[in-house]
Amino acid sequence: MTDSRDRQRRHTALLLLVAVGMFGFAFALVPLYNVFCELTGINGKTSGQAAVSVQTSPILEREVTIQFLAHVGRGMPWEFRPMESRLRVRLGEVNETRFYVRNHANQAVTGQAVPSVAPGLAARYLHKIECFCFTQQTLEAGEEMEMLVKFYMGVDLPADINTLSLSYALFPVTVAQTTGLEIDRDSSDITSAAHEEHSGS
């Protein structure tokens, strides 16, 4: 009887250890996946840190086309669009582009832009020196702004990648809760309009 109880206790303890181990592994999956994406460029994730601005690599004659896309998340009362839809760049050359934003709410709103690159493999070769996505952006009611992206393409970009897209999704971070969010009548469908522009580009 004693041996049976001991075996049952050991079995129960083993099951508890397995359960705790599985929980810890699942908890660690998200940060490990994010690190993996940043290192490999899979899933189109780009680094959240600025690249070194000093030009250390040669500028090649090879050119690629970069398409710029913008999308606003649900509940984000901003107009958001690239100021140029595409840019032809040489590998290793520092380039700039800008995105236009305007807050159509009647109060200040803070947003955070999340970048992605397609094809995903190209993400590791797109180096951002300056980007509005590095920090949260706050616009007062009715305020508009041009937001800068300064970047260069790595000279070791694979030869079979000639066109890539840099896309930003903009999400609300904080919205004042005093009277509720109100949108101007002439911009009541900002999200849909941006999505249609994104689909048609």
Side-chain angles (χ1 to χ4, degrees):
M1 181 68 69
T2 302
D3 291 342
S4 177
R5 287 180 178 176
D6 289 342
R7 284 196 300 271
Q8 187 175 6
R9 287 173 182 170
R10 287 196 296 269
H11 185 66
T12 302
L14 180 61
L15 289 177
L16 287 174
L17 286 174
V18 170
V20 171
M22 291 177 64
F23 176 79
F25 178 73
F27 185 78
L29 275 179
V30 173
L32 287 174
Y33 176 71
N34 287 336
V35 170
F36 177 74
C37 286
E38 287 191 4
L39 291 176
T40 63
I42 293 176
N43 201 32
K45 288 194 172 186
T46 63
S47 173
Q49 297 180 346
V52 178
S53 59
V54 178
Q55 188 69 47
T56 58
S57 59
I59 298 176
L60 304 185
E61 291 301 319
R62 179 190 167 194
E63 293 185 342
V64 295
T65 299
I66 302 181
Q67 300 173 333
F68 302 105
L69 304 170
H71 176 68
V72 287
R74 184 178 300 276
M76 188 62 176
W78 287 11
E79 180 182 351
F80 179 45
R81 55 181 168 80
M83 299 190 69
E84 52 188 342
S85 60
R86 64 186 62 212
L87 195 62
R88 191 78 175 164
V89 303
R90 292 191 296 172
L91 301 189
E93 183 178 44
V94 175
N95 293 272
E96 294 183 359
T97 190
R98 285 173 169 78
F99 284 70
Y100 171 84
V101 288
R102 182 186 176 191
N103 180 13
H104 288 275
N106 65 348
Q107 53 201 352
V109 177
T110 298
Q112 175 67 58
V114 179
S116 64
V117 174
L121 180 62
R124 63 190 303 179
Y125 303 99
L126 194 154
H127 306 287
K128 297 187 294 294
I129 299 170
E130 296 180 36
C131 182
F132 58 89
C133 62
F134 291 159
T135 58
Q136 297 176 1
Q137 305 294 326
T138 300
L139 294 184
E140 298 297 327
E143 184 180 1
E144 58 184 356
M145 181 169 58
E146 295 179 5
M147 302 191 297
L148 174 69
V149 182
K150 190 173 183 180
F151 67 95
Y152 66 93
M153 294 301 306
V155 296
D156 51 349
L157 179 72
D160 59 341
I161 300 179
N162 296 305
T163 301
L164 58 146
S165 63
L166 174 58
S167 177
Y168 288 94
L170 190 62
F171 298 96
V173 176
T174 57
V175 179
Q177 300 295 325
T178 53
T179 59
L181 196 62
E182 295 182 7
I183 309 300
D184 294 343
R185 286 192 298 271
D186 60 352
S187 60
S188 58
D189 199 15
I190 300 172
T191 301
S192 298
H195 182 68
E196 291 172 3
E197 180 180 349
H198 172 85
S199 301
S201 57

